[in-house]
């Protein structure tokens, strides 16, 4: 790794705009993610969180602004290029390959030259106790298992940064715990995470830094304890204090 | 590739190689056609079965290759060079076409391929100085190899096509293609260069039809626009691949054998009825047995261990 | 060359192109309607048109019924046929990968085509019910073409207004634009899809009835027309109803000029060349419309 400055931000987003024919999903988003952190991204439904991930990961080429990963501009790059640079993401609704086996689902996500892909896939599966599922087709898994496999899948490339879009939604409590444990474990090894999550306890527990998105704008950022007291955040979540 | 399958393949090849020794002229002619259809169905399988991008115009590569080969033979080149030429010209057509249509998602590729064969036929008809137009070109039998040679050539093409499919299927590249077929966006998101993958598969899939076109002319010694760009060839290769099982190694071999056998026994005299049945077979397979006949044999019992407590009840519908 | 640059000849080519284009527009907008609503490309669409054409032919030869009157029988019949096909076949492949629906409708087109050959043989047929021409100064409008174009425009505009103005039409558009939202809002999407396919069939049937008056046709004629339709929907934007109307007119005119300047055989290849050209310069269609995912 040629990280000039170890404590420079790994991801920087400047003035990001995305317009869906009238719907302004992102209105000038600025964001900075510290290397090695777990950053939370919260906000009401439809506030633009998934859209932000789509843009950062290269799936949505029609945004304007600037996205820097490891100091290099990545806006306009293809998703596969971004992935091979070490930035991976998962989908809000699981997208495992239904007709590929669990093992194939993982192996296909490794770098091409990676000779140890198979053994690492088995190792990952063992870690979440899915080692007996290697030959099961993606479509035969439960939804929760699919989401977990999708998470393991992006680990195959050993990315330096992972964007997780509601990884625990639809996953049962046991698997959920496994998932968060792995996130912590990987973070301990240096992987940076940005997590979209509606469960505030999880956010409070995991994240040092939190960004709050509402109607396409970052309305608050910082320590979760501080953010949750913010007037604008309460308003965004609960309306004009009608609750 | 599993050893059992290799053994099975070798046995088939050995059997086929005996053809000219034991079979009559009629049998050889039939098997030659069968090999041709295996080669074509496998080629279709390589792009459509593997990536899910449907090619309705693969016969165009067959026809273009046939003309390229014929013109080479006519100008006195040896037939093996003509076959090579047929293959290369088909490749030269596939590159720009693939580049144009495969960068895009969705149905553009299908839409562009459906018309290709017909346009190629029109061009072949109008380009009289090169193709002699609708009257076609007859090659002197004297300069063509005998039936037995053509038989082995077609057999070789069927084998090569099947080997390509098998190699691709069991490779990392094949895995990427199948991921594209399942969910192209997700594939791209986990590092698959989808455009390059699709284009490579497509170009590979054009090679064999180009060669097969040339060998077919060497066998029939005649070519004209409607024999080279016969739309029913498209139907046949698609039905055979789908009926046997697309996206698999042996499906197209099985499908070609069954459909050709049925044709020979039942429908050879009734072209319209024959095609109608092919259409109906395609419909039936797509709707009721998407994995093709081969899925009846290979369908594994769902190996879903129930012992683990990881299941969380809800299933995807 | 001078002769061909004569404004009268150019005008005549333009008129011919516009008249043919109106028919194409009607045909292709039906295809686009189906694609928009259920992301299915109906490869058998041109065979639906031929069902209409042969229907008109039978009614004319057996009962002497004029194609303009035959419309009242043929159009509802093909509507019903479309409804049934959606119910029995296409409904099963909606929401499945593109490969599935493409191959299913391809299979259907082969079946229909060859049933046509079995019943009517491959000989060309025609319905010479209307003859003569309207003459405006220097310009000549063959009556059957003029009538066919007029009927096509009326039909296409009628369906367009139906989609824009009526409750049911708005439901169709809702399913097209936001299928999930439409379900949540209590729209019976299955019914809407059957209606859509029936409607597309009716449009194809009307186009076929009109076609029977101006062209000779055989069961195999569908291939030409589906190719034209594809070029049109790529030009106009896939799934964009109005885009197909413009695209149809454009193709008609370009074909007419290619036919006039080169030869009618090249005119047959025009649709394809236009399609390739559009993919080259503006891959998602000239009227930047919803792109198929
Ligand atoms: N492809 C699209 N076309 C049109 N509008 C879109 C598209 N994708 C997102 N939007 C709109 O952009 C806005 C932001 O959507 P987004 O999915 O980013 O929200 P979100 O914060 O992830 O919400 P949730 O918590 O429900 O997942 C919404 O109004 C949505 O309707
Ligand atoms: Mg979201």
């Amino acid at each position: 790794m040629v990280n000039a400055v170890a404590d420079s931000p790994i991801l920087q987003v400047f003035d990001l705009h995305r317009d869906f024919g009238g719907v302004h999903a992102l209105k000038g988003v600025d964001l900075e993610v510290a290397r090695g952190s777990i950053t939370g991204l919260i906000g009401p439904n439809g506030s633009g969180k998934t859209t932000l991930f789509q843009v950062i990961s290269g799936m949505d080429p029609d945004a304007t602004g600037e996205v820097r990963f490891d100091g290099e501009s990545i806006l306009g790059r293809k998703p596969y290029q971004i992935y091979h640079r070490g930035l991976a993401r998962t989908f809000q609704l699981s997208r495992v390959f239904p007709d590929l086996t669990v093992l194939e689902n993982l192996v296909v996500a490794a770098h091409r030259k990676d000779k140890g892909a198979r053994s690492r896939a088995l190792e990952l599966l063992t870690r979440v106790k899915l080692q007996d599922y290697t030959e099961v087709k993606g479509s035969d898994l439960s939804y929760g298992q699919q989401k977990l496999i999708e998470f393991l899948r992006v680990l195959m490339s050993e990315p330096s940064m992972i964007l997780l879009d509601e990884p625990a939604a639809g996953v049962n409590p046991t698997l959920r715990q496994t998932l968060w444990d792995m996130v912590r474990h990987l973070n301990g090894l240096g992987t940076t995470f940005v997590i979209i999550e509606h469960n505030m306890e999880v956010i409070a527990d995991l994240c040092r830094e939190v960004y709050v998105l509402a109607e396409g704008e970052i309305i608050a950022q910082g320590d979760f304890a501080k953010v949750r007291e913010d007037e604008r955040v309460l308003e965004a979540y609960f309306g004009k204090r009608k609750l | 590739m599993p050893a059992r399958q290799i053994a099975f393949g070798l046995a088939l090849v050995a059997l086929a190689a005996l053809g000219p020794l034991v079979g009559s002229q009629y049998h050889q002619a039939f098997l030659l056609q069968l090999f041709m259809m295996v080669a074509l169905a496998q080629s279709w399988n390589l792009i459509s079965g593997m990536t899910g991008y449907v090619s309705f115009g693969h016969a165009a590569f067959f026809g273009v290759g046939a003309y390229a080969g014929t013109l080479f033979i006519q100008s006195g080149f040896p037939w093996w060079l003509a076959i090579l030429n047929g293959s290369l010209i088909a490749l030269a057509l596939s590159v720009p076409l693939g580049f144009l249509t495969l960068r895009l998602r969705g149905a553009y590729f299908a839409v562009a391929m459906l018309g290709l064969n017909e346009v190629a036929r029109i061009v072949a008809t109008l380009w009289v100085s090169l193709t002699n137009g609708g009257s076609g070109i007859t090659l002197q039998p004297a300069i063509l190899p005998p039936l037995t040679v053509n038989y082995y050539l077609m057999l070789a093409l069927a084998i090569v096509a099947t080997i390509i499919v098998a190699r691709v299927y069991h490779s990392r590249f094949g895995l990427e293609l199948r991921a594209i077929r399942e969910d192209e966006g997700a594939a791209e998101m986990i590092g698959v260069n989808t455009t390059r993958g699709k284009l490579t598969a497509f170009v590979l899939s054009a090679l064999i039809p180009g060669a097969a076109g040339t060998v077919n002319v060497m066998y029939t010694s005649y070519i004209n626009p409607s024999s080279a760009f016969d739309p029913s060839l498209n139907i046949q290769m698609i039905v055979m691949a789908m009926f046997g099982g697309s996206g698999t190694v042996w499906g197209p071999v099985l499908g070609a054998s069954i459909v050709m056998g049925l044709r020979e026994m039942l429908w050879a005299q009734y072209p319209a009825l024959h095609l109608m049945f092919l259409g109906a077979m395609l419909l039936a397979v797509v709707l009721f047995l998407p994995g093709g006949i081969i899925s009846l044999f290979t369908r594994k019992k769902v190996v879903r261990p129930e012992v683990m407590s990881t299941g969380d009840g809800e299933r995807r519908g | 060359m001078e002769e061909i640059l004569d404004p009268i000849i150019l005008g005549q080519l333009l008129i011919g192109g516009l008249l043919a284009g109106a028919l194409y527009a009607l045909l292709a907008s039906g295809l686009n309607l189906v694609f928009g609503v259920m992301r299915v490309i109906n490869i058998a669409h041109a065979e639906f048109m031929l069902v209409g054409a042969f229907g008109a032919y039978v009614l004319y030869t057996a009962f002497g019924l004029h194609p303009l009157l035959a419309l009242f029988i043929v159009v509802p019949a093909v509507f019903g046929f479309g409804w049934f096909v959606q119910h029995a076949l296409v409904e099963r492949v909606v929401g499945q990968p593109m490969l599935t629906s493409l191959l299913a409708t391809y299979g259907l087109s082969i079946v229909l085509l060859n049933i046509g050959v079995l019943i009517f043989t491959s000989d060309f047929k025609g319905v010479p019910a209307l003859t003569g021409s309207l003459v405006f100064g220097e310009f000549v409008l063959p009556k059957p073409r003029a009538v066919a174009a007029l009927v096509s425009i009326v039909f296409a505009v009628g369906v367009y207004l139906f989609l824009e103005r009526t409750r049911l039409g708005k439901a169709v558009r809702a399913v097209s634009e936001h299928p999930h939202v439409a379900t949540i809002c209590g729209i019976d999407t299955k019914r809407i899809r059957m209606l859509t396919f029936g409607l597309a069939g009716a449009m194809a049937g009307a186009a076929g009835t009109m076609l029977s008056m101006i062209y000779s046709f055989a069961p195999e004629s569908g291939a030409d027309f589906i190719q034209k339709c594809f070029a049109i929907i790529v030009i106009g934007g896939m799934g964009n109803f109005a885009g197909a109307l413009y695209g149809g007119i454009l193709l008609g005119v370009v074909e007419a000029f290619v036919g006039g300047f080169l030869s009618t055989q090249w005119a047959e290849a025009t649709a394809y060349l236009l399609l390739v050209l559009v993919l080259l310069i503006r891959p998602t269609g000239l009227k930047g419309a919803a792109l198929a995912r």
Side-chain angles (χ1 to χ4, degrees):
Chain A
M1 281 267 143
V2 275
N3 303 328
V5 192
D7 52 22
S8 66
I10 188 167
L11 182 78
Q12 294 164 294
V13 172
F14 303 110
D15 196 28
L16 210 57
H17 288 264
R18 179 63 169 107
D19 195 354
F20 292 110
V23 181
H24 295 272
L26 300 175
K27 305 175 199 158
V29 169
D30 293 306
L31 183 119
E32 204 168 276
V33 178
R35 197 178 297 278
S37 69
I38 302 180
T39 300
L41 180 61
I42 61 175
N45 290 119
S47 55
K49 305 180 296 292
T50 298
T51 305
L52 181 59
F53 274 17
Q54 288 280 102
V55 173
I56 295 174
S57 62
M59 295 286 281
D60 185 342
D62 296 328
T64 58
E66 167 86 317
V67 180
R68 291 179 158 272
F69 176 64
D70 254 343
E72 281 186 64
S73 175
I74 56 167
L75 195 65
R77 301 251 169 211
K78 298 266 185 199
Y80 72 89
Q81 294 171 323
I82 294 172
Y83 180 81
H84 287 302
R85 277 171 180 239
L87 202 176
R89 62 83 68 102
T90 62
F91 294 98
Q92 180 169 357
L93 295 171
S94 147
R95 283 168 80 171
V96 299
F97 302 112
D99 236 25
L100 302 190
T101 66
V102 166
L103 191 61
E104 288 172 331
N105 259 287
L106 296 193
V107 170
V108 72
H111 295 300
R112 273 198 156 191
K113 297 209 176 76
D114 186 351
K115 294 281 172 255
R118 221 186 124 86
S119 58
R120 195 168 50 261
L122 291 172
E123 188 188 305
L124 285 170
L125 289 171
T126 311
R127 202 165 332 148
V128 297
K129 301 200 180 66
L130 283 174
Q131 67 275 24
D132 294 335
Y133 283 66
T134 49
E135 295 308 311
V136 177
K137 291 218 166 142
S139 55
D140 288 331
L141 295 173
S142 74
Y143 185 75
Q145 290 170 330
Q146 290 185 14
K147 290 218 63 155
L148 199 61
I149 291 299
E150 213 197 313
F151 174 58
L152 298 187
R153 192 164 74 180
V154 300
L155 298 185
M156 290 297 293
S157 65
E158 304 189 306
S160 49
M161 175 164 186
I162 303 177
L163 313 177
L164 297 175
D165 196 345
E166 303 190 26
V171 180
N172 78 7
T174 327
L175 284 180
R176 209 175 275 186
Q177 202 46 53
T178 313
L179 175 80
W180 296 132
D181 286 347
M182 280 192 78
V183 168
R184 261 196 212 91
H185 172 74
L186 288 162
N187 182 244
L189 298 175
T191 310
T192 309
F193 285 91
V194 178
I195 302 175
I196 297 176
E197 176 58 51
H198 284 296
N199 184 337
M200 293 305 151
E201 279 167 35
V202 172
I203 291 288
D205 199 26
L206 279 174
C207 305
R208 212 169 40 192
E209 176 97 353
V210 175
Y211 280 84
V212 185
L213 202 57
E215 295 179 6
E217 287 176 281
I218 300 286
I219 55 166
Q221 78 179 81
D223 193 56
F224 181 64
K226 195 183 80 191
V227 161
R228 73 192 312 173
E229 302 299 327
D230 193 299
E231 284 287 316
R232 297 184 60 191
V233 175
L234 291 172
E235 193 178 304
Y237 268 95
F238 303 117
K240 300 264 178 212
R241 293 201 165 272
K242 279 277 157 66
L243 266 173
Chain B
M1 191 169 178
R4 275 209 357 242
Q5 288 190 30
I6 295 179
F8 175 69
L10 286 176
L12 272 187
V13 170
L15 211 63
L18 289 178
L21 303 180
V22 296
S24 66
Q25 195 94 337
Y26 166 81
H27 290 128
Q28 281 188 56
F30 169 74
L31 285 173
L32 187 150
Q33 297 261 313
L34 172 60
F35 301 151
M36 183 172 104
M37 288 321 300
V38 169
L40 293 178
Q42 286 291 31
S43 302
W44 185 86
N45 189 28
L46 200 52
I47 177 69
S48 302
M50 293 285 177
T51 70
Y53 275 73
V54 195
S55 168
F56 290 111
H58 250 59
F61 297 127
F62 177 88
V64 166
Y67 267 108
T70 306
L71 293 173
F72 251 48
I73 293 178
Q74 208 184 19
S75 341
F77 287 99
W79 52 259
W80 59 269
L81 215 56
I83 296 173
L84 200 66
N85 187 45
S87 214
L88 288 178
I89 295 293
L91 179 124
L93 174 64
S94 70
V95 172
L97 202 68
F99 182 76
L100 218 54
T101 54
L102 286 168
R103 306 172 283 165
L104 305 169
R105 295 253 184 95
Y108 293 97
F109 175 72
V111 161
M113 288 306 287
L114 190 73
L116 180 66
N117 195 50
E118 183 60 15
V119 169
R121 196 187 59 74
I122 294 176
V123 171
T125 312
L126 294 179
W127 197 345
V128 178
S129 62
L130 188 73
T131 63
N132 200 24
S135 354
I137 301 171
T138 307
L139 292 173
Q140 292 308 315
I143 57 170
L144 295 173
L147 173 62
T148 315
V149 172
N150 289 328
Y151 177 96
Y152 283 117
L153 285 172
M154 213 53 117
L155 174 61
L157 289 179
I159 294 171
V160 171
T162 305
I163 290 177
I164 294 178
V165 168
R167 290 295 297 257
V168 168
Y169 185 89
H170 292 284
S171 71
R172 157 82 193 208
F173 172 56
L175 189 55
E176 290 184 1
L177 294 183
R178 288 188 290 145
I180 291 173
R181 180 185 67 198
E182 304 287 299
D183 184 339
E184 192 167 348
E188 198 168 17
M189 200 58 258
I190 51 143
V192 177
N193 184 343
T194 52
T195 305
R196 190 179 63 189
K198 288 182 288 186
L199 204 60
T200 310
F202 184 52
V203 169
L204 268 181
S205 79
L207 286 173
I208 300 284
T214 304
V215 177
N216 189 51
V217 177
M218 284 158 52
Y219 161 62
T220 59
S221 71
Y222 176 71
I223 185 172
N224 71 10
S226 34
S227 73
F229 301 104
D230 175 6
S232 81
L233 205 55
N234 281 317
I235 303 170
Q236 291 182 57
M237 69 177 107
I238 294 174
V239 172
M240 289 171 190
M242 287 298 298
F243 189 72
S246 76
T248 68
V249 177
W250 295 106
V253 179
L254 185 67
S257 308
I258 296 176
V259 176
M260 288 293 287
L262 286 175
R263 179 173 101 178
E264 206 58 20
M265 287 189 292
L266 302 174
W267 307 320
Q269 305 91 308
Y270 314 102
L273 209 57
H274 168 210
L275 287 173
M276 195 190 86
F277 269 110
L278 288 185
M281 272 168 92
L282 183 60
L283 255 180
V285 167
V286 168
L287 295 181
F288 303 113
L289 193 63
I293 295 285
I294 204 157
S295 67
L296 297 177
F297 304 107
T298 57
R299 190 182 295 165
K300 292 192 189 115
K301 290 191 196 81
V302 176
V303 271
R304 187 162 194 276
E306 301 296 341
V307 278
M308 310 303 303
S309 58
T310 40
D312 49 4
E314 50 157 354
R315 287 283 200 83
R316 189 151 92 166
Chain C
M1 217 47 200
E2 286 128 46
E3 259 177 52
I4 222 146
L5 289 177
D6 181 341
I8 305 285
I9 294 183
L10 289 179
Q12 193 65 51
L13 286 176
L14 182 65
I15 291 172
L18 289 173
L19 295 183
L23 186 70
Y24 296 167
L26 174 63
L27 187 63
S29 51
L31 188 66
N32 239 1
L33 183 63
V34 168
F35 182 78
V37 168
M38 52 193 114
R39 291 285 176 262
V40 166
I41 293 207
N42 178 18
I43 293 185
H45 191 64
E47 275 70 36
F48 277 74
M49 174 193 79
L50 288 171
V51 169
F54 278 102
Y57 169 79
V58 168
L59 290 174
Y60 181 73
T61 46
F63 308 105
L65 197 63
H66 194 283
L68 286 175
L69 295 173
L71 276 176
F72 293 96
I73 299 173
V74 170
V75 170
V78 188
F79 178 92
F81 181 56
W83 182 288
F84 168 77
V85 165
Q86 174 67 28
H87 180 75
L89 299 175
V90 183
E91 193 61 30
R92 296 169 195 270
V93 300
V94 167
Q96 295 210 26
M98 197 75 87
L99 175 115
T100 310
S101 58
L102 281 169
L103 288 175
T105 57
Y106 182 61
L108 178 66
S109 82
I110 297 166
V111 171
L112 291 177
L113 189 167
N114 288 290
I115 290 178
V117 174
L118 288 174
I119 301 178
F120 297 104
T121 75
S122 291
D123 298 339
F124 279 86
K125 305 281 193 291
V127 181
L130 202 58
T131 50
S133 296
L134 306 169
V135 180
F136 297 98
E138 308 267 10
F139 297 109
V140 183
L141 265 73
K143 269 189 206 161
R145 283 174 181 257
V147 169
L150 191 68
V151 169
S152 299
I153 291 169
V154 167
F155 254 91
V157 171
V159 174
Y160 182 74
L161 290 178
F162 165 76
L163 292 174
E164 291 288 325
R165 298 285 160 80
T166 65
R167 246 187 100 78
L168 201 54
K170 283 180 181 154
V172 171
R173 278 172 44 219
V175 176
S176 169
E177 282 149 31
H178 305 285
H180 300 297
V181 181
T183 317
I184 294 164
C185 294
I187 295 174
D188 181 350
T189 50
K190 180 167 191 253
R191 242 182 101 79
I192 292 293
R193 285 194 294 268
M194 296 201 290
L195 173 74
T196 303
F197 212 88
L199 211 53
M203 294 166 83
T209 311
M210 292 301 99
L211 169 116
S212 72
M213 299 194 305
I214 53 182
Y215 299 117
S216 53
F217 54 93
E220 287 91 343
S221 303
D224 267 0
F225 283 91
I226 197 71
Q227 191 51 52
K228 293 185 208 293
C229 283
F230 286 163
I232 292 166
I233 65 174
V234 170
I235 291 168
M238 283 192 166
N240 182 334
F241 185 90
L245 298 180
Y246 305 128
I249 305 278
L250 182 71
L251 177 67
V253 171
V254 175
E255 264 188 8
F257 279 93
V258 171
F261 283 90
L262 289 169
S263 74
T264 42
Q265 269 173 310
W266 280 112
E268 280 173 43
T270 302
Y272 193 76
L273 300 178
L274 215 54
L275 182 144
V276 169
L277 193 69
V278 172
L279 289 178
L280 196 63
I281 55 176
R282 184 85 199 272
T284 51
L286 291 182
K287 285 201 56 74
L291 172 64
R293 273 225 29 182

